[in-house]
Amino acid sequence: WEGYRTDRVLDIRDVQLVLRALRDLGRVGRVELDLDETIERTAKNAGDIEIVERKQRKNRLDVMLLMDAGGSMAPHARRVEQLFTAASKLDSFRSFTSYTFHNCVYQWLYTDIAQMERRPTHEVLANLAPHTRVVFVGDASMAPYELFSGMGWPGQESLSGEEWLRRFRARCPASVWLNPDAKRLWRHPTVSAIGRIFPMYELTIEGLRDAVKRLRAPV
């Protein structure tokens, strides 16, 4: 298997424009002078200076992207790379992290799946802030045992992929799944099961817009 590159520059502008709508900006941090409001209020006060201050505007949104790599995802690699490139190069988030997996999330998440560089999934989960927006990308199609059967190394917790996914949804309710397959191909046992855990959208500009609307909703 190979991980996803971040140097794809073709056709990512539309993706970035959609993702910018995910910004969650608020007044936090240090106080600063609001020059425009100060001038306006001073003018309304016939020249009597009225100082208006405000807190700095900073991004407060944390985003995690989890991508299926290899196997049946090979035909979709270019579209996933476009999404990965757009998200990783966008400065609209307070933090952005990404991992890859194969078929489903199990005991490990990979920072470089080709080099087998990885982190224990339970550690990633434990460090996730509940407000984090988690975006899964994958066709969700696999042999049923790969989703429903417990898998684990000796001495580790043996959980099914389905249980790992449920733990992510419980930890971060604002999570969605982007599927590169057309909806007509979603009539599959594992796709249906994952669709009951996460809101699922097509990996298209329209589907991404709908996913962003869902991610922006209060949790």
Side-chain angles (χ1 to χ4, degrees):
W1 308 320
E2 294 184 0
Y4 292 112
R5 294 162 49 186
T6 61
D7 59 352
R8 295 291 191 190
V9 295
L10 296 176
D11 305 320
I12 67 170
R13 178 176 171 78
D14 288 339
V15 177
Q16 287 183 315
L17 288 174
V18 174
L19 291 178
R20 284 196 180 101
L22 193 53
R23 288 179 298 187
D24 181 21
L25 298 173
R27 296 295 176 186
V28 296
R30 295 185 306 166
V31 172
E32 62 184 4
L33 174 68
D34 187 334
L35 184 59
D36 291 339
E37 189 66 19
T38 295
I39 292 173
E40 183 175 346
R41 297 226 188 144
T42 298
K44 289 180 178 178
N45 291 341
D48 289 338
I49 296 177
E50 181 177 347
I51 301 296
V52 180
E53 295 179 323
R54 64 182 180 183
K55 289 187 176 180
Q56 288 180 313
R57 191 171 179 84
K58 293 184 178 180
N59 202 312
R60 298 181 291 127
L61 193 66
D62 299 308
V63 175
M64 176 175 286
L65 184 63
L66 301 177
M67 301 165 286
D68 186 1
S72 60
M73 285 296 293
H76 308 298
R78 185 168 180 270
R79 270 195 295 163
V80 179
E81 285 179 338
Q82 289 169 348
L83 175 66
F84 184 27
T85 299
S88 63
K89 296 185 181 301
L90 204 60
D91 60 359
S92 296
F93 309 135
R94 180 171 66 180
S95 71
F96 173 78
T97 53
S98 63
Y99 296 95
T100 52
F101 59 88
H102 180 60
N103 284 340
C104 192
V105 172
Y106 302 115
Q107 281 72 23
W108 304 96
L109 287 169
Y110 296 85
T111 54
D112 187 336
I113 199 167
Q115 300 299 321
M116 298 298 287
E117 295 177 3
R118 61 193 187 181
R119 285 190 63 192
T121 303
H122 69 86
E123 287 186 6
V124 175
L125 262 175
N127 290 316
L128 263 180
H131 64 263
T132 302
R133 268 55 177 178
V134 180
V135 180
F136 289 83
V137 185
D139 58 17
S141 180
M142 65 199 82
Y145 79 87
E146 293 177 287
L147 181 64
F148 302 120
S149 299
M151 296 184 180
W153 297 96
Q156 291 185 336
E157 190 175 17
S158 180
L159 298 176
S160 67
E162 181 184 30
E163 178 58 27
W164 281 115
L165 296 180
R166 291 189 183 280
R167 290 190 178 195
F168 268 94
R169 184 64 194 276
R171 179 72 175 179
C172 298
S175 302
V176 298
W177 190 287
L178 297 175
N179 194 324
D181 280 339
K183 278 188 177 180
R184 59 184 172 81
L185 302 176
W186 291 7
R187 294 181 179 178
H188 183 280
T190 62
V191 181
S192 298
I194 291 174
R196 289 191 290 270
I197 301 172
F198 299 102
M200 188 175 287
Y201 304 92
E202 287 186 275
L203 184 54
T204 61
I205 291 297
E206 293 76 14
L208 189 57
R209 286 196 185 102
D210 290 340
V212 165
K213 288 179 184 177
R214 184 63 176 257
L215 292 170
R216 285 175 57 89
V219 295

